[in-house]
Amino acid sequence: MKQTIENYGRIIVLLAAAFGAVFLIRNTVYSQLKANGVIQDTNHISSNEFFQKQGRPKLSGVRGEDGTARRLVIRKEEKLIPRKLVKAEDKKDGDLTEKIKIFIVTNEGGKEVRSLFESEYLDTSHDKEFILLYTVKNSIGLISEGRIKILVKNYGENHSE
């Protein structure tokens, strides 16, 4: 029994030495071939470069023409469909408008709280300020978000700021 264990030990040591020698020879040969120009790096892009080329999805409608965050002032009791305010596009995936998620953002105790908006219309039955957060994710997981501040006021005419 002792002899069998010693034989297995020798076999394991020989296998480890053989793997080490093969690894060392492979790396040496590879380094020499690369140094002599036989092997060249392929033109590949790193995953970070891929994500930069792919880019995040683009949300349109969350910024004013001057590039600042969009603010919208509407009349009390006016129907507002938040989903129709914003569109989303992506270089690879195309139109992502249907994949936009909308959240109503509130501040509770100094902490931002997001509640998923699942209705068609925004409740404009009383004077109130809303912050709508729009998020969209493309097929590779990159996310874009944008906010629109909505102010519901009790006066006669629509206004946009």
Side-chain angles (χ1 to χ4, degrees), residues 7 17-18 21-22 26 33 37 48 53 68 71 82-84 86 89 91 97 99 106 119 124 127 137 145 149 155 161:
N7 286 340
V22 167
R26 185 187 75 77
L33 290 174
N48 190 33
K53 282 186 176 185
T68 61
R71 288 185 47 145
R83 187 153 298 281
K84 292 192 176 187
V86 175
E89 274 190 39
K91 289 178 186 175
T97 303
K99 296 189 179 212
T106 56
S119 303
T124 59
D127 290 2
K137 184 189 321 188
E145 31 180 77
K149 186 181 270 189
Y155 58 84
E161 294 181 357

Side-chain angles (χ1 to χ4, degrees), residues 106-113:
T106 56
N107 192 340
E108 295 178 12
K111 188 174 182 181
E112 181 178 284
V113 177

Side-chain angles (χ1 to χ4, degrees), residues 28 37 39-40 52 120 134-135 138 141 147 150:
T28 304
I39 297 177
Q40 297 177 356
Q52 288 174 356
E120 183 177 4
Y134 293 81
T135 66
N138 66 11
R147 295 171 188 245
I150 310 241

Side-chain angles (χ1 to χ4, degrees), residues 140-156:
I140 60 171
L142 296 175
I143 298 172
S144 288
E145 31 180 77
R147 295 171 188 245
I148 298 177
K149 186 181 270 189
I150 310 241
L151 184 60
V152 179
K153 285 194 163 197
N154 190 19
Y155 58 84

Side-chain angles (χ1 to χ4, degrees), residues 47-113:
S47 61
N48 190 33
E49 289 174 299
F50 172 77
F51 287 130
Q52 288 174 356
K53 282 186 176 185
Q54 169 68 28
R56 296 183 181 281
K58 303 271 189 260
L59 281 171
S60 58
V62 293
R63 298 243 168 241
E65 289 181 17
D66 60 355
T68 61
R70 185 172 175 193
R71 288 185 47 145
L72 186 62
V73 181
I74 63 168
R75 263 189 322 224
K76 187 174 167 182
E77 301 293 337
E78 183 177 339
K79 288 186 178 180
L80 178 70
I81 304 172
R83 187 153 298 281
K84 292 192 176 187
L85 296 175
V86 175
K87 295 187 185 311
E89 274 190 39
D90 184 68
K91 289 178 186 175
K92 179 182 175 215
D93 301 330
D95 186 8
L96 293 174
T97 303
E98 292 298 316
K99 296 189 179 212
I100 294 174
K101 290 185 181 178
I102 305 171
F103 297 89
I104 294 180
V105 179
T106 56
N107 192 340
E108 295 178 12
K111 188 174 182 181
E112 181 178 284
V113 177

